[in-house]
Amino acid sequence: MNIMLTSLYIHIPFCNQICTYCDFHKEMALDSKKEMYIDALIKEFLFHKDKYSGLETIYIGGGTPSSLSPVLLEKLLKTIKETIDLNQIKEYAIETNPNDINQVFSELISSYKINRVSVGVQTFNDNHLQFLGRTHKKEDIYKAIKQLHHVGIRNISIDLIFSLVNQTIDELESDLTLVKELDIKHISYYSLILEENTKLYYLYDKNEINMNSEDLEGAMYEQVVKTLNLYGFNQYEISNFSHPGYESLHNLTYWTNKTYLGIGSGAHSLYDNKRFNHIANVKEYIKQINEGDFDFHYQYDYQSLNDECMLGLRLTKGISIPDIETKYSIKLLERFSALIKFIDLGILEIIDEYLRFTSKGILLGNEVFKVFLEVA
């Protein structure tokens, strides 16, 4: 495939423990299997080396990349450094858990020029952490941020979850208060989603837990947005907040519908107006790569216009109507006439020629997104 890439995603499908709510492609594995995987991953990475000249972002995600031993992680990072001119990379990010961030890990990633760290905090409440299957406690979060600062990494993002099982508004406000104490630049704040093939879904299906009502979840979301704005975080996407200049450049690649390459088991890619993915099976992925099979599995010809509108509306600034109409030679509100209803209802608005959600409309995003799924 002859493509110009600006973003590269590298998937590490391993975790030290499986969380109650998570349905991402991941598994617990012996070090021997992790080593075979990293060897295969490096083979695939090097196979695409001629495509990296225009890269601007690298994102190592999972799973939990920090579940790799320092030796294996360094093996991967060393190969990346030897293959890509890291001086051209604007954002080089890695995901990790708070209790994985020690002196060895932080010095290692800093020495290989990783400049952004995404920390899976989820909540500061130890009881909720235990239910979620997380292995860290509140005190580990503070230690982790302090350790990253110690090695000079300032671009720190944390993942948080609201509308947890039995979470109260007071508990949410406590989490938000503790956020203010951390010197961080970015927050991804998601509601707890019930996914099949998770322990959470099993407990729900057995009537052992209840999920929060839509009204309570909506009230919590509004509290998150209001409070983070007061703290100086700008909401630039439905679930993402940052200080100025610290937006996730890599994720903006996805939300602005740009070409990217994903390598590793289960990784997805977008290029040539098509979406592709690797098989989400570590053993089979290793086998294919070792047999010299670097091909992606074709998913579908994606509808660029529809995807660009749907993804762009996740951003709080919305989508530029003139840009869309010029690029695709259409009249936006004629092509997607159902949008007019949402404008009349105050769910969408047009400001400075951008179509975007209103503050109340953002909670009804899924209803609007259906418009782009239904119109071919």
Side-chain angles (χ1 to χ4, degrees):
M1 62 185 174
N2 184 22
I3 55 176
M4 177 59 72
L5 297 168
T6 58
S7 294
L8 173 67
Y9 175 78
I10 300 172
H11 191 66
I12 308 298
F14 303 114
C15 291
N16 292 328
Q17 183 166 322
I18 304 303
C19 296
T20 306
Y21 56 92
C22 181
D23 74 334
F24 290 161
H25 170 45
K26 79 287 179 189
E27 64 179 56
M28 297 170 67
L30 297 174
D31 287 344
S32 57
K33 188 172 186 179
K34 292 179 181 180
E35 184 174 4
M36 289 188 292
Y37 178 80
I38 292 299
D39 287 343
L41 185 69
I42 287 173
K43 288 180 183 179
E44 185 188 6
F45 172 78
L46 293 175
F47 177 80
H48 297 292
K49 64 182 179 180
D50 293 339
K51 305 176 180 70
Y52 300 147
S53 60
L55 275 185
E56 296 180 357
T57 73
I58 302 172
Y59 194 104
I60 304 175
T64 311
S66 55
S67 67
L68 296 174
S69 69
V71 172
L72 278 182
L73 180 57
E74 182 166 20
K75 187 174 186 178
L76 173 61
L77 297 181
K78 185 173 185 289
T79 303
I80 294 172
K81 182 180 180 180
E82 292 172 346
T83 309
I84 296 173
D85 178 8
L86 295 180
N87 292 320
Q88 77 186 29
I89 303 300
K90 296 178 181 178
E91 182 183 277
Y92 188 1
I94 191 169
E95 293 179 348
T96 182
N97 287 331
N99 49 334
D100 292 337
I101 301 175
N102 52 33
Q103 182 176 348
V104 172
F105 175 81
S106 58
E107 289 181 351
L108 175 62
I109 63 172
S110 176
S111 69
Y112 282 94
K113 295 190 175 183
I114 286 178
N115 57 20
R116 185 178 192 272
V117 178
S118 178
V119 186
V121 170
Q122 316 315 348
T123 176
F124 295 86
N125 184 299
D126 285 346
N127 290 328
H128 286 305
L129 285 170
Q130 184 176 16
F131 174 79
L132 293 173
R134 306 298 289 176
T135 55
H136 67 272
K137 294 184 179 295
K138 173 183 171 181
E139 61 185 27
D140 296 319
I141 300 166
Y142 296 99
K143 292 177 182 177
I145 303 302
K146 183 178 180 180
Q147 180 61 49
L148 292 173
H149 287 160
H150 181 70
V151 297
I153 297 177
R154 310 297 301 185
N155 189 355
I156 301 170
S157 175
I158 64 172
D159 289 348
L160 289 167
I161 303 176
F162 69 93
S163 195
L164 299 168
V165 174
N166 296 324
Q167 185 183 35
T168 65
I169 287 285
D170 286 344
E171 288 175 330
L172 173 67
E173 290 177 347
S174 177
D175 270 2
L176 287 166
T177 298
L178 294 171
V179 163
K180 191 176 182 180
E181 298 178 4
L182 299 178
D183 182 7
I184 55 173
K185 306 299 183 183
H186 187 282
I187 298 172
S188 297
Y189 221 136
Y190 304 100
S191 63
L192 183 66
I193 302 297
L194 190 63
E195 303 281 6
E196 292 189 21
N197 301 316
T198 64
K199 183 178 179 181
L200 184 70
Y201 187 87
Y202 172 82
L203 294 173
Y204 176 79
D205 192 48
K206 296 294 183 181
N207 294 316
E208 294 185 22
I209 62 167
N210 293 311
M211 301 296 287
N212 290 334
S213 68
E214 289 185 3
D215 287 344
L216 178 57
E217 184 171 311
M220 287 184 167
Y221 180 75
E222 290 175 356
Q223 186 67 26
V224 167
V225 173
K226 176 184 175 182
T227 304
L228 293 184
N229 283 339
L230 288 174
Y231 292 170
F233 287 90
N234 172 54
Q235 184 185 19
Y236 69 101
E237 193 266 349
I238 290 176
S239 301
N240 285 269
F241 307 77
S242 76
H243 286 304
Y246 287 93
E247 297 83 1
S248 172
L249 300 181
H250 185 85
N251 284 339
L252 282 168
T253 297
Y254 304 146
W255 297 324
T256 55
N257 211 31
K258 294 180 180 177
T259 297
Y260 58 90
L261 175 68
I263 66 170
S265 177
H268 291 245
S269 301
L270 168 62
Y271 57 87
D272 193 27
N273 287 336
K274 295 180 177 65
R275 293 196 182 276
F276 299 84
N277 71 285
H278 274 314
I279 187 170
N281 181 298
V282 173
K283 182 179 178 180
E284 287 302 312
Y285 169 80
I286 293 171
K287 180 175 182 288
Q288 288 178 2
I289 296 299
N290 287 338
E291 291 175 350
D293 179 4
F294 297 97
D295 290 335
F296 293 85
H297 295 272
Y298 165 74
Q299 284 185 291
Y300 58 89
D301 291 351
Y302 84 117
Q303 296 178 341
S304 181
L305 166 61
N306 298 47
D307 278 24
E308 191 157 331
C309 291
M310 186 162 58
L311 292 167
L313 275 175
R314 292 191 60 88
L315 300 171
T316 52
K317 72 175 183 179
I319 53 177
S320 168
I321 295 176
D323 288 353
I324 291 289
E325 292 185 340
T326 299
K327 182 176 181 179
Y328 294 99
S329 300
I330 62 161
K331 290 294 184 182
L332 183 66
L333 295 183
E334 291 180 6
R335 180 64 173 271
F336 302 105
S337 58
L339 294 175
I340 297 173
K341 174 185 69 175
F342 292 108
I343 294 174
D344 292 341
L345 291 172
I347 294 170
L348 295 172
E349 62 185 359
I350 298 175
I351 302 293
D352 296 330
E353 297 189 295
Y354 274 80
L355 179 69
R356 69 183 192 185
F357 283 108
T358 62
S359 57
K360 76 169 185 177
I362 204 166
L363 292 170
L364 301 171
N366 288 337
E367 295 302 311
V368 176
F369 295 149
K370 288 178 184 177
V371 172
F372 305 106
L373 299 173
E374 294 167 353
V375 178

